[in-house]
Amino acid sequence: MATTQQQDAPSLQRAIGLPLLMLYGLGSMLGAGIYGLVGEAARLMGSAIWMAFLVSMVAALLTGLSYASIASRYPRAGGAAYVTQRAYRSPMMAYLVGLAVACSGLTSIATQANVVARNLQAAFGWEGVPISLLALGFLLILAGILLRGIRESLWANAACTVVEAGGLLLVIAVGIPYWGQASLFELPEGGGEASATALLVFQGAVLTFFSFIGFEDTMNLAEEVKQPERTMPMGLILAMLIATGIYMAICVTAVSVLPWRELAEARAPLAAVVERAAPWFPPAGFIGITIFAVANTALVNYVMASRLLYGMARQGLLPASLGRVNSARHTPHVAILALLGVVILLALVGDVAALAASTVLLLLFVFTIVNGALIILIRRKDEKRGGFEVPVFVPALGALVCVALIVVRVATGGGTASLIAIGLLAAILVLYLLTARHRQEEVRKFLESEELG
């Protein structure tokens, strides 16, 4: 049972239905990455980039189905941190997983703030305005939206997602007449043999897998979703399937309009596709679409990180103040403001590219732990069941795929990112050990209230 203080305190409000949840998940997956990722994939896979996206979709769907099952069983804002603590009964592991996810969100927000600032300079000719000032203004607007309410945050996300998806659908629409004019199986030199082709496809899947990262953000909204046991898995799976359909169509369109070698060298691949297929479309239009896409990525990560900190505070893993909810707006205002301070500092650093790259490894580490947690919970007989259940082989395969992706990522030039990721995990563990004594009573109360102690 929850404590009297928790029962009397303001709580998050269930205001999210299936359409907004699905758009949130779709917006978190589409992101800004696909606008540049197609060129990198073409350099590696030639015109067969659709193969890489197909394999990475299957790999991501395994972990996505695990997340859908977990969200149906335990609709809690703590997300990965909550299910880790429930499965492993280890506050330290939950703390590690939760802050690893938070780090990935914070570096993403800071990076996107600087990207938005640079695009605003280009779009409006604001070269005389400092990047840092534009980035700060963008972050303050984001914080204001989040403080206003979850409904307002998700409507802003929905608007950005519509523009973002509209940009991708525009690429597909103007490129459809070119379909069938190019081979979809042309690989770079050295990819002719079956073994070499398989290796290329797997390397391409490692690259394109990260275009599906974002589905994990959805789970942190569980306490603000109507009928979460049913709505959460439906929203997550629908978002993944729609994203896959858009990605596959983009792949076919891109290599049909532009030869893959030209696509690989393009500075802005999809903008180059539109320029070739629809020269009437103004170049500034794609800058605007990019701003919306990048802003949406930052917004989604800000919502995710604030709910994650709120959930971890409710578990006793972080200071209780981060779990406070504004009585009028039903938003975790302390967590939102605390994150704003950290993200402003990161954004002022400017170049956080290396740190952002390391968060990919952190997320794969988290996915491995969460898949393992679901295996434990499925096999534990006294655990509750949800409205969406998966057989145990799904999280088992999901964990194996994530471990394989970590190995490939490290083996193919991820040395610096690996060191940063390991350093971040070590720093989180040290922070946990230094502050563990102050949290023991809060964690004990949480475990008792959840009947886990």
Side-chain angles (χ1 to χ4, degrees), residues 76-363:
R76 301 293 292 267
Y82 173 80
V83 77
T84 298
Q85 183 153 325
R86 188 175 189 99
Y88 299 101
R89 294 175 177 170
S90 168
M92 182 176 71
M93 189 174 291
Y95 188 88
L96 183 65
V97 164
L99 288 192
V101 175
C103 284
S104 73
L106 291 174
T107 54
S108 175
I109 298 166
T111 303
Q112 307 311 329
N114 281 292
V115 174
V116 167
R118 292 189 183 96
N119 277 277
L120 286 172
Q121 277 189 334
F124 298 103
W126 292 346
E127 286 78 8
V129 182
I131 289 286
S132 57
L133 186 60
L134 291 173
L136 176 61
F138 171 70
L139 291 172
L140 289 174
I141 291 173
L142 276 190
I145 294 172
L146 264 71
L147 289 169
R148 178 68 184 171
I150 187 61
R151 189 185 296 274
E152 290 80 0
S153 299
L154 264 65
W155 275 115
N157 163 254
C160 289
T161 300
V162 168
V163 174
E164 183 180 4
L168 297 175
L169 293 176
L170 171 68
V171 175
I172 296 167
V174 300
I176 282 179
Y178 292 81
W179 285 20
Q181 296 184 19
S183 169
L184 300 179
F185 297 93
E186 185 179 349
L187 296 168
E189 293 183 8
E193 298 181 2
S195 59
T197 300
L199 180 60
L200 273 179
V201 170
F202 196 77
Q203 289 177 335
V206 172
L207 174 67
T208 57
F209 177 86
F210 307 115
S211 61
F212 289 95
I213 285 179
F215 58 81
E216 76 284 354
D217 296 340
T218 307
M219 196 160 69
N220 291 287
L221 295 181
E223 291 186 31
E224 295 164 283
V225 172
K226 301 172 184 176
Q227 298 179 318
E229 293 82 1
R230 174 178 173 272
T231 305
M232 290 294 296
M234 285 183 63
L236 196 154
I237 293 171
L238 279 174
M240 292 192 75
L241 293 177
I242 293 171
T244 299
I246 292 175
Y247 286 159
M248 296 294 286
I250 285 289
C251 291
V252 173
T253 299
V255 297
S256 298
V257 174
L258 288 178
W260 67 263
R261 291 179 178 83
E262 190 175 337
L263 188 69
E265 297 302 322
R267 185 175 180 181
L270 295 189
V273 170
V274 173
E275 185 178 356
R276 176 72 57 83
W280 47 265
F281 189 78
F286 237 84
I287 295 178
I289 291 171
T290 301
I291 290 173
F292 275 91
V294 174
N296 201 24
T297 301
L299 175 63
V300 165
N301 278 283
Y302 204 160
V303 172
M304 176 276 294
S306 63
R307 271 56 185 179
L308 178 61
L309 262 60
Y310 162 85
M312 291 181 68
R314 302 283 284 188
Q315 290 174 240
L317 296 172
L318 291 175
S321 59
L322 292 172
R324 291 178 187 166
V325 174
N326 183 273
S327 58
R329 307 308 311 172
H330 297 278
T331 56
H333 59 291
V334 178
I336 292 170
L337 293 172
L339 288 171
L340 177 62
V342 175
V343 173
I344 287 175
L345 289 175
L346 286 174
L348 291 177
V349 169
D351 184 13
V352 292
L355 185 60
S358 70
T359 61
V360 167
L361 290 171
L362 292 178
L363 285 177

